[in-house]
Structures are given as structure tokens and as C-alpha cells.
Amino acid sequence: MRAPDPEAGFGSTVGVLAAGQLLCWAALFYAFSAFVLPMQRALGWDKPTLMGAFTLGLAVHGATTYAVGAAIDRGHGRAVLAGGALLAGLGFAAWSQVSAPWMLYACWALLGAAMAMTLYEPAFNVVTKRYPTRYRDAITRLTLVGGFASTLCYPAVTALMAAFGWRGALLAIGAVLALGVAPLHAWALRGPALVAHPAAPDAQADATLHQALRTPAFWLLTLCFTLYTFVSAAFWAHVMPAFAAKGFSESQALAVLVWFGPAQVAGRAAHALAGRGVSLRLLGVVVLSAMPLALVLFAVGSTVPALIGFALLFGLANGLVTIVRGALVPEVFGRAHVGRIGGAMSAVGLLARAAAPLLTAWLLLGLAGYREVMGVLALLAAGAAVAFALVRRPATR
């Protein structure tokens, strides 16, 4: 009997999932800020009320990520990714009809669950299981395409709102997710995964969640990515006030931040073209060490060119950290329970991301200004790099 092709359907499956990541990230993560001002004008709600809905969505994302990973481990990856896109579409449709804050919060509770079912990690877990010999290549492709989500989002949402108003724009986005992305996910992941499953090189390759929890590697990686996620979320929540504190106008701030996306994509593209032979551990140490350096550069920078240097370094590191995060967990713990292990690890970080904007605002009350806040964030980012450098693959179960 002919052995199954370990690359069967690789190109089409990864291509469809990459397109899904592009659209889901644009809709579920980046689009919210574009609707804040139109909703505020139309409904008269204040910004804390509106921002609270997004915070709730991020918290639900963190709270549900383990259950999503467990479902993928049980072989339900197709239902997770297709169902998540459908749920996102229904959430956007419901959002377009809100007339009271509780309705918006209910919508974002649904959309938070949809985030957990669609954004990066479930797709990483699915391709890791379907293509065990090429999952790192697949993760690189997914992040490379997904990196354009912020570039796509804002002009697309602006055009939709100009044509249909904010409620109509939400309906249109919901239709794309429910009628476009969900069926494509279902099509790409149809049937069994026709892949070869090479034997694990040692017993640790199939570590269960219980076994992983008993290793220093799990807790060091959890600490690393929790600190990184907190720092990233805190920075982006406060980036415009931080620029204003430096005396920069909004246009000057945007002239700096516009470099973030291209740097992120450039880093991923360079890795896709020339980075396959680079150890994930070495790559992780380098890019995580770049984060505190970038934040220090932002703290002390006072000119647009200096801050563009920050944006390039920050974007490059941020783009590559996503690849490291997605590929290292199966390398350290194996693929059999990657959904549960990755989900448990991510849950803490995602909850930290939800809390980061508020905790940073409290921190600001006790410090002299944003220069000092950036210094604290740089120290936390350095802690993430140290934790990562200390990770060692467990020798036995």
C-alpha cells in the first residue's frame, strides 16, 4: 500500500488558512478602534464604556483558549476554525444592531470566543498536527500573510463606512467572515489529514499537559510570553499619549508607526527565505533581546529618525516572536497535546494582555511620566528574554 504523502494539500491548506488569518486579524483585532469614534458620535457613549467591551473580548479570548486547544487535540480543528469564523460573522452582525452598552458587551463576549477559535494559535496547532514535517514553514507563511492585517484593515473599514455607514460596514465585515472565511476553512480542512507521522525521537515528544506542567520549561515559557504579551499590549494602548508627552503631533507619531507593519512583515519574509536553518532558540533569544532595546530607544528618542529606528527594531522583533512562539512549543513538548499545552500557556498571557492597559495607567500615576513607564516595560521585556534563555527541553517525562 502506498504511503501517504506528508505534503498532501500543504500549499492549498496553508494558503487558505493564511487568507483566513489576514481577514480574521483585520476584523477581530484591528477594526475595533476604527469604530470607536463613529459609535461615540452616534450613540453618545464615552470611551471607557466602548473600550470596556474590547477588554471583555480579550478576557474571553484568554479564558477560552485552553478549551479551544483541547478541541483541536481531539481532532476537531476543522470545526474550530470554520465555527470560529462563523461565530465572528454572527458577532459582527449582532454588533451592527446594538443600541445599549450591554448589547455591545454581549457581542464582544462572542467575538472574544471567536478570537480564541481563529487567531493564529488554533491555526498553528492545526498545521502542526496536519504537517508534522513542515509545520514551521506553515507557521511562517501564516504569520507572513497575517502581518498585512493592519495594513488592510484601516483603509478597508474607512471605505466601507463611507459607503454604508458604521452599521452597514459591520454587516459587510460579518458577511465576509460568515459567508467567505468559514466555508473556506471548512473546505481547506475537509477529510482526514493525509500526512505521515514520523516517530518521536524520544518519549518527551508526546508530553501531556500534566507532564508539561511539572517541567521548568513550561513555566519559563509561560513567564516569557506573558511578560512579552503584557509589554506589547501596554505599549500599544498608550503609544499615542506617549508620543504626545514627547511633544510630537499625531501626524509625526503616524510617520513613525507606519514603519512598524513593514518591519514586521520584512522580518517574517527574511525568515521564510533564509531562516529555516536558524535554531528557534537562537532566534528567540535574539528577537526577545531586541524588545527591551527598542523600548529604551523609544524612551530616550526625541527625533523622528531616532523613533523610526525604534519602530523598525520593535516591528522586526514582534514579527519574529510570533513565529518562535508558534513553533517552539511542539519542538519542546511534542505535537500530540500541543493544543492543550499551548492553550494553557497562552491563557495567562492573554489575560495579562487584557489587563495591561489599565495596569499601565495605574503605573503612570506613580511615576514621573512615560519615559519612566517605558523603562519599566523595558525591564519586563528583558525579563522575558532571560526566561526564554533559561528554557531547556526536558530530558525525560
Side-chain angles (χ1 to χ4, degrees), residues 353-374:
R353 182 174 71 179
L358 181 59
L359 292 178
T360 305
W362 288 347
L363 178 64
L364 188 61
L365 295 176
L367 297 176
Y370 273 109
R371 179 190 292 261
E372 290 73 20
V373 168
M374 293 301 158

Side-chain angles (χ1 to χ4, degrees), residues 145-307:
V145 176
F148 288 100
S150 60
T151 305
L152 166 72
C153 173
Y154 298 114
V157 171
T158 298
L160 287 172
M161 286 196 289
F164 306 115
W166 69 271
R167 292 186 186 273
L170 288 169
L171 276 174
I173 294 170
V176 169
L177 294 169
L179 303 179
V181 177
L184 281 173
H185 279 174
W187 174 82
L189 298 175
R190 66 198 184 282
L194 300 177
V195 297
H197 293 276
D202 55 49
Q204 179 58 34
D206 290 322
T208 66
L209 174 61
H210 177 70
Q211 291 162 345
L213 288 171
R214 297 169 62 184
T215 66
F218 176 90
W219 295 106
L220 285 168
L221 285 174
T222 300
L223 175 62
C224 167
F225 293 117
T226 296
L227 289 174
Y228 168 78
T229 301
F230 181 93
V231 167
S232 181
F235 175 80
W236 285 113
H238 290 266
V239 63
M240 296 308 287
F243 271 106
K246 289 178 175 289
F248 281 55
S249 67
E250 184 175 338
S251 61
Q252 287 175 312
L254 293 176
V256 172
L257 295 176
V258 72
W259 290 98
F260 173 79
Q264 179 173 260
V265 172
R268 292 169 177 172
H271 181 266
L273 293 173
R276 295 180 184 179
V278 177
S279 162
L280 281 175
R281 297 172 188 279
L282 174 61
L283 180 64
V285 169
V286 170
V287 299
L288 285 165
S289 298
M291 294 298 290
L293 294 177
L295 290 165
V296 168
L297 187 57
F298 182 88
V300 302
S302 58
T303 65
V304 169
L307 292 174

